[in-house]
């Protein structure tokens, strides 16, 4: 009886003090840090084999395409288009006559067009996180394809368009993976590769090969990340070889290779949307319901009510955090956890 009395007293004190919304709870550093750590682990451990294969396939194909575009642009103009670091440095070098040609406005426009491409992606993809079927990835990919085809049609007379295409692609993959996967430049990829390998080695040294469950989960997450980063780096290098070979053999017609790869991914996402319409719709409703639940707003239409009363794992979890009832009144979600 004593534990039950303690729980009841805790709930009474919580109700007297007032409820705390999930958003307010996130202001606490300890809660936020634990949630972020668990979310990162979940992203690494929970995807199914099909999802993991899809993530790796998309990253590899886009890395090959970006590496090829970069190689083709450098072969023709002696500067890179898939990242802005070299162009940003080249502005000062050319202005001070330390790099030929001395036209410093060319790297300026490469940087500007890359940013414009990222801006265009932001207009199309409105949120972070992988949302296959919900976010309009096919529009972004076909936009990249169109820009690359413009460059091919004009025989790469305007390399700024290729920089813009890389900006669109990089923004899409960054928002999709929350900055974990990168395909147009390999600095972050090499950094993640090295840091993941370092954590794996140090974990074995510190724990003397014996790991608890939580340590093992972190090890598995780092191991999967290490494999993905290696594949992305090797794919980008392979893309450089493909672009160089293609330019030597076909000149600017080699742009058809990365354009074709990007077009293929765009079509694949369209097919995915058509084959999984019901699943995508259910995920969209689940996200809306949960977002309203944790913000304390409650449900606002019959479709959301039907979803919460269903038997899916998401619906059961939402009912659980709302005490088995509708998520009204507002602001009770986190209060029940923090008070218990």
């Amino acid at each position: 009886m004593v534990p039950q009395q303690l729980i009841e007293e805790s709930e009474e004190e919580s109700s007297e003090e007032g409820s705390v919304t999930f958003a307010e709870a996130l202001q606490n550093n300890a809660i936020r840090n634990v949630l972020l750590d668990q979310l990162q682990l979940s992203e690494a451990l929970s995807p199914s084999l099909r999802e993991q294969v899809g993530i790796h396939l998309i990253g590899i194909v886009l890395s090959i395409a970006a590496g090829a575009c970069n190689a083709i642009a450098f072969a023709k103009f002696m500067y890179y288009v898939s990242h802005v670091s070299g162009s940003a440095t080249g502005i000062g070098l050319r202005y001070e006559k330390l790099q030929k040609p001395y036209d410093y406005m060319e790297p300026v426009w490469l940087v500007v067009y890359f940013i414009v491409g990222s801006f265009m992606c932001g207009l199309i993809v409105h949120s972070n996180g992988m949302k296959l079927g919900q976010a309009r990835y096919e529009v972004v990919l076909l936009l990249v394809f169109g820009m690359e085809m413009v460059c091919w049609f004009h025989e790469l007379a305007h390399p700024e368009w290729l920089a813009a295409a890389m900006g669109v692609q990089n923004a899409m993959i960054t928002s999709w993976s929350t900055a974990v996967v990168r395909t147009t430049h390999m600095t972050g990829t090499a950094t993640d590769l090295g840091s993941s390998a370092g954590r794996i080695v140090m974990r074995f040294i510190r724990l003397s090969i014996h790991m608890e469950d939580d340590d093992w989960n972190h090890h598995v997450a780092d191991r999967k990340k290490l494999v993905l980063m290696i594949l992305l780096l090797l794919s980008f290098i392979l893309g450089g070889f493909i672009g160089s070979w293609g330019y030597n053999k076909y000149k600017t017609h080699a742009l058809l290779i990365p354009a074709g790869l990007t077009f293929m991914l765009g079509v694949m996402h369209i097919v995915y949307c058509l084959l999984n319409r019901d699943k995508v719709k259910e995920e969209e409703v689940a996200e809306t319901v949960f977002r309203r639940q944790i913000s304390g707003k409650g449900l606002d239409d019959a479709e959301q009510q039907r979803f919460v009363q269903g038997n899916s794992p998401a619906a059961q979890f939402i009912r659980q955090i709302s005490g088995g009832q509708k998520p009204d009144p507002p602001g009770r979600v986190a209060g029940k956890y923090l008070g218990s």
Side-chain angles (χ1 to χ4, degrees), residues 41-337:
L41 277 178
S42 176
E43 287 183 353
L45 301 177
S46 62
S48 64
L49 178 61
R50 185 177 64 176
E51 290 174 325
Q52 292 184 51
V53 171
I55 291 171
H56 285 65
L57 177 63
I58 293 171
I60 288 171
V61 172
L62 289 179
S63 294
I64 292 174
C69 286
N70 216 26
I72 294 168
F74 190 84
K76 185 172 178 63
F77 297 104
M78 298 300 290
Y79 47 70
Y80 300 112
V81 295
S82 71
H83 54 273
V84 301
S85 301
S87 298
T89 304
I91 296 172
L93 289 173
R94 292 190 180 195
Y95 185 81
E96 293 297 331
K97 305 297 190 291
L98 294 176
Q99 184 186 60
K100 294 183 180 180
Y102 299 143
D103 179 16
Y104 64 88
M105 287 305 298
E106 186 62 43
V108 168
W109 285 117
L110 290 176
V111 173
V112 169
Y113 270 73
F114 192 97
I115 296 173
V116 170
S118 302
F119 173 81
M120 294 174 66
C121 179
L123 295 176
I124 302 170
V125 179
H126 306 141
S127 59
N128 291 324
M130 183 176 65
K131 295 186 177 182
L132 294 177
Q134 296 184 43
R136 297 277 61 92
Y137 297 129
E138 75 281 356
V139 176
V140 176
L141 291 167
L142 293 179
L143 178 61
V144 175
F145 164 75
M147 290 180 171
E148 291 171 347
M149 291 302 293
V150 168
C151 293
W152 166 76
F153 183 79
H154 293 283
E155 296 184 349
L156 208 55
H158 304 288
E160 298 87 358
W161 279 83
L162 201 53
M166 295 296 97
V168 174
Q169 175 178 316
N170 192 56
M172 184 203 73
I173 203 70
T174 300
S175 63
W176 168 54
S177 66
T178 59
V180 173
V181 177
R182 308 165 188 86
T183 59
T184 65
H185 59 279
M186 291 293 111
T187 304
T189 301
T191 301
D192 288 344
L193 190 159
S195 62
S196 297
R199 287 193 298 271
I200 290 173
V201 172
M202 190 59 203
R203 196 173 290 119
F204 274 105
I205 295 175
R206 180 170 57 87
L207 299 174
S208 301
I209 315 301
H210 178 69
M211 295 186 186
E212 301 294 337
D213 289 342
D214 188 57
D215 294 315
W216 178 254
N217 288 337
H218 281 87
H219 167 73
V220 173
D222 280 329
R223 188 180 63 193
K224 289 185 175 183
K225 189 174 186 178
L226 177 66
V227 171
L228 178 59
M229 296 303 111
I230 291 174
L231 290 175
L232 293 178
L233 180 58
L234 293 177
S235 299
F236 193 88
I237 294 173
L238 175 61
F241 275 105
I242 292 174
S244 302
W245 169 82
Y247 187 82
N248 276 333
K249 194 169 183 65
Y250 304 110
K251 298 305 179 184
T252 55
H253 294 304
L255 280 173
L256 294 174
I257 299 174
L261 292 174
T262 307
F263 179 79
M264 177 189 69
L265 288 180
V267 172
M268 287 174 63
H269 189 253
I270 293 175
V271 173
Y272 177 89
C273 294
L274 294 175
L275 295 178
N276 297 275
R277 279 178 291 187
D278 294 338
K279 178 183 176 182
V280 169
K281 180 63 176 177
E282 181 179 344
E283 290 177 350
E284 189 174 359
V285 174
E287 289 181 14
T288 301
V289 170
F290 188 63
R291 187 178 295 111
R292 295 184 65 85
Q293 174 77 333
I294 64 175
S295 63
K297 295 180 180 179
L299 308 181
D300 64 350
D301 62 30
E303 184 177 24
Q304 294 176 14
Q305 291 281 0
R306 286 195 300 271
F307 175 81
V308 172
Q309 295 169 2
N311 295 320
S312 68
Q316 294 176 25
F317 175 73
I318 292 173
R319 287 200 301 272
Q320 178 185 347
I321 64 175
S322 59
Q325 314 212 345
K326 296 189 234 180
D328 288 323
R332 298 298 298 175
V333 181
K336 289 179 180 172
Y337 280 115

